Amino acid sequence: MAEAHQAVAFQFTVTREGIDLRLSHQAFTEIYLSGVRSWKKRIIGLKNSVVTGVYPASPSSWLFVVIAILATMYTRSDPSMGLIAKIQENLPVSQSMSNQCQTLVSALLFSTMLWLLLIFTMRMCLKQLLSYHRWMFEKHGKMSTTTKVWVALVRIFSGRKPLLYSYQGSLPNLPVPAIKDTVKRHLESVRPLMDDTEFERMTQLASEFESRLGNRLQWYLKLKALWATNYVSDWWEEYVYLRGRSPIMVNSNYYGMDFMYVTPTPIQAARAGNSLHAHFLYRRKLNKEELRPTRIPGTVIPLCSAQCERLFNSTRIPGEETDTVQHWQDSDYIAVYHSGRYFRLRMYQAGRLLSPREIETQIQRILDDPSAPSTGEAKLGALTAGDRIPWAEARTKYFSSGVNKRSLDCIEKAAFFVSLDDEEQGVVADDPASLDAYAKSLLHGKCYDRWFDKSFTVIFYKNGKMGVNGEHSWADAPVLSHLWQQTLSTDCFQLGYNAEGHCKGEVDSTLPPPQKLSWEIPPECEEQISQSLAVAQALADDVDIHVFAYQEFGKGRIKKCRVSPDAFIQMVLQLAYYRDQRRFCLTYEASLTRLFKEGRTETVRSCSNESSAFVRALENGEPAHVCRRLLQEASEKHQNLYRLAMTGSGIDRHLFCLYVVSKYLGVESPFLKEVLSEPWRLSTSQSPMHVEMFDIVNHPEYVSCGGGFGPVVDDGYGVSYSFMGDHILNFHISCKHSCPETDSHKFGDQIRTALQDLLQLLNPIRTECHRAEGGRPDVKKHL
């Protein structure tokens, strides 16, 4: 194979005349350039480590301190109050060094220590400032004097040009809430779900827990909080994600969609060329820490960026008891799947990133490759879609040595995974079901044409549409969402295409072709692949997904009604679910805790006493002014719950960690056991949209469909929603066909009706709400 020979730097043959040695200049060049690239990355990493390590100061500030100290000493003043002289007395130097030189060295040492002390002081001050969260609970538009001073101080101590990880050392640790506060909030959250007898029993369990076992478990948890960076995140990753033995496809992985109305090019290879190039441009910025730190929108408050570290070059490794997340420092290639074959595609040539046109050429070579899959290769990916224990056993037995290990390593160590699909997907005019099929394809595909263990898989369809499937254990959706939307923006607004729809740029004719991976799959392994595929296919067939874009009004009109858009949608979901099921249920809304170091998520329990009171009043035909007041109270309650969750005072992560401690100690808690077994029949999440990356005013058609996830429980709904600018709402609803009580399309109709009902209820508050939004730009649909 030609690609194999290119990987060998020299070959030799023993002949009668002696040894015939043949050197490969190209191979040596590649090795040299690879080494140069690796050392450049190390040097950049070292430089960034220094810059981040001294933040919020800068390395150049050391010189300023030194000059200031020396200048003060020149005026015959002693800014050290005798410390420089003490350093000079104890300085282990040679007798040949002059007294003046010893004084200079002592001054440099004192200046350095003073500089480090100033850095430590500034960092502690910034950490204390970032621990202040009262600003979040103030009414919108009414900022207190304390908060104004706080904002000014944060700006001062934040420096001018922070790198991606500059704030990591200044973020506060996640606090451990008081037992009594968590128990009180939990009882309040379950009250609308229980009758008097059930609630009295739960109150008794909670009281016994709080007065007896709770304090003991809390002591261990506080001890962990003092020792660990974050008392939740490592246990959350291990016990919620990695120890799960059921398939991660549908149950854990999630997806993101392409533009809704626009397909930049109908050429599959060209779309892949621009997109893959954009992914590696993003990775270059990530490695250099040139990405701006994520902040709460509209504020100067930074969020933790630790999850970005495992975005690329990462994979989930199956284990019999628990999986692990493996991350490699670098990878210069991607793994590609097409028509049952796996390929290794190098993204660098002669030390440079391939141009979009060159990547398009390489992808086209894969699409045109007529070779057939090896025995057992075509559906190999089903192992990652089925149960985890059979996959772990098969990996140990059949992929731990030889050609199978080399090929599997190639996939797992790739920057990310790419799937080239032979079908077409996307929005089809006059076919509402097209979005549903698109979502199902991204969520599970054919159950064997994705590598669900990779940190993310990018899917390119035959008609130029694309999408992404993300593995959930290594990070939460906002991290991958930022990459995805940046890629979409770079693809269309920076790279672009020529008139024929191909990528721009020239092609190096010496590019080696992509390398097809080899496999030796025995019949026993093929049998396991078939079994995993059967499990995955049954799961995929059971998924019922409905996706729709609601264009009657959007975030802008909701804001005019003086209601939080997120709270508005959550009340819509509560009303829709009650109408669908004639009962309330425990509702999960994901909230970020990235205000704290290594923070991930917390649960907002959206079904509250206030929300249920509003829904009952509306359904019972109470007067509009009563319903309006109850809606305002429910919305304010929801916002308060969201703020508590963001600031470390949530319910579920604290109870989860207490439960883990109880298991380590070998003690049983009826209260915790019941709390952790409560089903989330309505699981919701707002998909983050980075609208600043797109010009929605001039190009309103360039809006994404957002993304979604599978149902959390067999008899529940999963709902993901997003605000596309000010005029469009997107909903992704999932449930299971096997449950006769759930139907994604029926629930979607209930959401549409509830949206109109709530807006109509709020209309009298402001006359602007009566007006149709004539300013909403027309959207040109290029399907």
Side-chain angles (χ1 to χ4, degrees), residues 39 64 73 97 139 176 189 251 309 319 324 378 385 430 433 475 554 575 648 703 718 744 762 780:
W39 277 104
F64 175 82
M73 293 177 63
M97 183 180 291
K139 289 187 177 181
V176 181
S189 71
N251 293 326
E309 296 174 359
T324 56
D430 303 322
L575 178 59
V703 293
S744 65
L762 289 172
K780 300 178 181 179

Side-chain angles (χ1 to χ4, degrees), residues 372-384:
S374 304
T375 302
E377 178 184 13
K379 299 180 180 180
L380 179 63
L383 290 171
T384 69

Side-chain angles (χ1 to χ4, degrees), residues 538-638:
L539 179 60
D541 292 342
D542 197 22
V543 175
D544 176 20
I545 292 185
H546 179 45
V547 181
F548 67 92
Y550 186 82
Q551 302 187 41
E552 297 300 318
F553 63 87
K555 180 173 65 176
R557 195 166 179 183
I558 297 172
K559 285 183 174 180
K560 289 180 180 179
C561 296
R562 296 180 180 177
V563 177
S564 158
D566 183 72
F568 181 89
I569 298 299
Q570 286 296 325
M571 295 308 108
V572 164
L573 294 177
Q574 289 300 312
L575 178 59
Y577 186 86
Y578 185 81
R579 288 172 172 175
D580 185 65
Q581 300 291 321
R582 304 314 302 176
R583 68 174 186 264
F584 296 107
C585 73
L586 196 61
T587 305
Y588 182 113
E589 182 188 4
S591 166
L592 297 178
T593 56
R594 291 170 62 192
L595 286 170
F596 305 97
K597 195 180 300 182
E598 296 184 12
R600 290 197 61 161
T601 61
E602 176 58 277
T603 305
V604 180
R605 296 191 169 206
S606 302
C607 182
S608 61
N609 291 319
E610 289 78 4
S611 68
S612 58
F614 157 68
V615 171
R616 286 195 180 98
L618 189 65
E619 290 300 278
N620 292 336
E622 295 289 339
H625 71 277
V626 174
C627 295
R628 196 175 302 123
R629 174 179 56 80
L630 292 174
L631 175 57
Q632 291 287 355
E633 292 176 358
S635 298
E636 290 173 5
K637 176 66 175 182
H638 178 266

